Amino acid sequence: MEDFAALMSWTMRIFDLPITLYGFTFSLWQVFAFSAVTVIVGKFLAEVFLGD
């Protein structure tokens, strides 16, 4: 269990690293959250407009 906690701690530190691109600073958590929301909204809209 201690190894799992260490792995999760390491992963959290990686996801909290700030990245600056073209003057915008964001973290990997923000990229992950944006990607997840985009996929969910995209699938919903595809079902609404292209569903049978």
Side-chain angles (χ1 to χ4, degrees), residues 6-18:
L7 176 65
M8 292 306 292
S9 174
W10 178 81
T11 304
M12 292 293 288
R13 280 188 271 135
I14 294 296
F15 272 91
D16 281 336
L17 287 176

Side-chain angles (χ1 to χ4, degrees), residues 3-5 7-8 11-12 14-15 18 21-22 26-27 29 39 42-45 51:
D3 291 336
F4 180 72
L7 176 65
M8 292 306 292
T11 304
M12 292 293 288
I14 294 296
F15 272 91
L21 187 64
Y22 298 115
F26 48 88
S27 70
W29 275 120
V39 166
K43 288 198 180 270
F44 174 75
L45 291 175

